Amino acid sequence: MKKKNHNSPRGIFAGTNLAANAAYSRRQFLATTARAGALLAAPLVVPGAVLGADGGVAPSERIVLGAIGIGNRGAYVLSVFMQQPDVRFVAIADVKAARREAVKKNADARYGNNDCAMYRDLRELLARKDIDAVLIATGPNWHGTASMVAANAGKDIYCEKPCTRSIMQSLELAETMKRTARIFQAGTQRRSLPNFVYAIELARQGKLGKLHTVHAKPAGLGTATSGWLPAEPEPDKETVDWDLYLGPAAWRPYNSKMMNAFHFEKGGGLVGGGCLEWGSHCVDLCQWAADADNTAPIEYEPVQGQLHARYASGIKLVVREDGWLPLGSCPVKFEGETGWVETADSGELKASSEALLVGKGAKIGGYPADFHVRNFLDCVKTRSQPRANAEVACWSHITCHAANISLFLNRKVKYDPKKNEFIGDEEANRLRSEAIREPWRA
């Protein structure tokens, strides 16, 4: 968005000699003044697009967007951004030349020009003063680091999930956004979808009675540590920048199988994702339902293929793969003393009583990002906090990371959300953070 610029009234005299020629005759002065008066009296015709008429958006209200790391998911989210009338997409940064070129081709075709700039290094894109906000859709390895680098460069951020690599990076992310006063939205778009919002309102408003259990399906609970694959010839840097691809992750030799960023490191060396991958969606919704957006459970324990956790409030979190109604991916269920509700990506809601579903609104399936993107853009303009802001993302990710640590150690752990440490557990505490490769430490 550009600051409003009011031109000086003296601009109407541009091109005259009033300021330069003191040797004016009275007749010349009157003639020049008459011409200037006629100009001032004439109606001023301004194109409608400048004022935002006819569906256009005035430049002062336009959000200039850049994108970092655009693959399959990123391409979809970017298309949602580009459909918004107040967004102008201008630049792509990606370590892969093929992806840079694909994004530029699409953007130039949409705008009918050749203006989309391409960068290999995200820092070059972030150095541009005209860019207001960035979409970050790299692999999970880069999400938290790129978000903090962008915030320090003065950009607002929409970042795909999972957003952080560790418990400590979750805290650093929230602190960075607060310190820099940037708007941050995690790409947990289910917070903006009506079926999930309705189910959460039932839980939070006491319509289910006193809430005692929240359930989440993470699409897998496996964890594994990262490693090396056999070295292969490294591509030219302009084709694939391997060193920049690794970014904050530990160095290792190039192997093409590692170039699928979605399946590369997801945090703390736990490449399997565990609870973190889809938990950053479904556990996040459970956090909201349990009124726990500013805290995390205090106990975690693997139990017969599930992960059980308990909040200080007494509410139980159950992360499980089976026993769900056929309502689609990413299901959640909330149970209270007098009723329950379950929903998922189909947009359908099921409850213990039909009376609970009166007034549920229209069904929207398929987890579109439109509402979530719009919420972010509105907050960029108003400077209010979006639905999945950095504080919310911090605690839902801490919950997932702590669950992963319990799964990885295959035992019960106790966590203090005020001190952000495991209680009397040196082994678990070592997994709260990890070494970040230079120069990418926050």
Side-chain angles (χ1 to χ4, degrees):
M1 293 181 292
K2 297 180 179 178
K3 296 180 180 178
K4 290 181 172 62
N5 181 24
H6 301 288
N7 292 325
S8 168
R10 290 178 296 174
I12 194 69
F13 294 102
T16 71
N17 292 324
L18 283 178
N21 187 359
Y24 252 7
S25 68
R26 180 174 179 273
R27 183 177 299 170
Q28 288 173 316
F29 174 79
L30 290 174
T32 302
T33 304
R35 288 196 299 272
L39 286 171
L40 289 170
L44 181 63
V45 179
V46 180
V50 174
L51 300 175
D54 300 323
V57 176
S60 61
E61 293 299 314
R62 187 177 296 143
I63 296 171
V64 180
L65 181 74
I68 300 170
I70 300 300
N72 293 334
R73 175 66 187 174
Y76 163 68
V77 179
L78 180 57
S79 73
V80 174
F81 270 100
M82 292 173 67
Q83 289 167 13
Q84 305 302 311
D86 52 349
V87 168
R88 187 72 173 187
F89 175 64
V90 299
I92 170 64
D94 200 296
V95 299
K96 301 178 182 179
R99 288 188 172 180
R100 293 195 296 270
E101 292 161 3
V103 172
K104 175 177 172 58
K105 181 179 179 180
N106 182 51
D108 289 349
R110 181 175 185 85
Y111 295 128
N113 57 34
N114 194 40
D115 294 347
C116 180
M118 295 188 295
Y119 303 96
R120 175 173 49 82
D121 192 323
L122 75 167
R123 290 168 292 191
E124 295 181 51
L125 182 149
L126 294 173
R128 287 182 51 160
K129 301 299 184 183
D130 61 323
I131 292 178
D132 303 305
V134 290
L135 163 63
I136 296 174
T138 61
N141 168 53
W142 258 108
H143 286 167
T145 299
S147 293
M148 289 185 279
V149 172
N152 287 328
K155 313 305 181 189
D156 294 326
I157 301 113
Y158 184 107
C159 180
E160 276 299 299
K161 41 61 62 180
C163 300
T164 65
R165 293 172 56 96
S166 67
I167 287 175
M168 296 311 295
Q169 192 177 64
S170 302
L171 294 166
E172 290 167 357
L173 178 70
E175 189 280 329
T176 299
M177 298 307 152
K178 183 178 181 180
R179 173 176 52 80
T180 58
R182 303 325 304 168
I183 300 299
F184 177 91
Q185 177 91 300
T188 50
Q189 72 277 1
R190 289 167 180 84
R191 278 195 174 237
S192 297
L193 293 177
N195 59 308
F196 291 105
V197 172
Y198 186 84
I200 287 165
E201 287 177 349
L202 291 179
R204 290 173 62 91
Q205 294 175 4
K207 301 294 179 64
L208 307 175
K210 184 178 180 181
L211 191 68
H212 59 74
T213 310
V214 290
H215 302 256
K217 182 180 180 181
L221 288 174
T223 58
T225 55
S226 58
W228 289 22
L229 292 176
E232 296 177 356
E234 189 172 324
D236 178 77
K237 182 179 288 189
E238 290 301 320
T239 301
V240 173
D241 191 329
W242 173 244
D243 185 68
L244 201 53
Y245 174 83
L246 290 175
W251 183 89
R252 68 211 68 187
Y254 173 81
N255 185 289
S256 57
K257 292 180 180 179
M258 289 187 176
M259 289 305 298
N260 184 338
F262 188 77
H263 296 294
F264 190 52
E265 292 196 6
K266 291 185 171 69
L270 302 179
V271 298
C275 179
L276 180 65
E277 183 51 58
W278 280 74
S280 48
H281 281 300
C282 58
V283 171
D284 173 67
L285 295 169
C286 288
Q287 289 267 119
W288 191 10
D291 195 21
D293 272 344
N294 61 350
T295 189
I298 59 174
E299 293 180 353
Y300 304 79
E301 184 176 16
V303 178
Q304 297 179 346
Q306 301 178 350
L307 187 284
H308 293 184
R310 182 177 63 85
Y311 294 93
S313 64
I315 295 175
K316 185 177 182 180
L317 167 65
V318 177
V319 184
R320 56 183 171 86
E321 286 297 308
D322 53 8
W324 295 96
L325 296 175
L327 299 177
S329 56
C330 203
V332 290
K333 181 179 181 179
F334 311 132
E335 288 185 282
E337 291 180 343
T338 61
W340 58 267
V341 64
E342 185 171 332
T343 191
D345 284 338
S346 68
E348 294 281 356
L349 287 126
K350 297 292 182 182
S352 55
S353 167
E354 285 297 320
L356 288 170
L357 302 183
V358 174
K360 64 181 179 180
K363 170 186 170 182
I364 298 177
Y367 57 94
D370 307 64
F371 303 110
H372 210 52
V373 166
R374 188 65 253 169
N375 173 242
F376 169 69
L377 295 172
D378 291 342
C379 291
V380 168
K381 293 182 178 184
T382 64
R383 310 314 292 172
S384 56
Q385 287 297 315
R387 294 189 181 105
N389 59 69
E391 189 73 12
V392 164
C394 169
W395 288 106
S396 61
H397 280 65
I398 284 176
T399 298
C400 292
H401 287 302
N404 266 3
I405 290 170
S406 175
L407 289 165
F408 182 69
L409 297 176
N410 194 31
R411 61 175 173 82
K412 185 176 182 177
V413 296
K414 294 184 178 182
Y415 190 73
D416 183 339
K418 293 183 178 179
K419 294 182 179 180
N420 282 298
E421 64 183 26
F422 293 96
I423 300 172
D425 196 330
E426 183 180 351
E427 185 180 28
N429 279 324
R430 285 199 299 268
L431 297 173
R432 289 178 304 157
S433 63
E434 60 180 334
I436 298 296
R437 197 165 64 105
E438 294 291 359
W440 301 111
R441 285 190 296 176

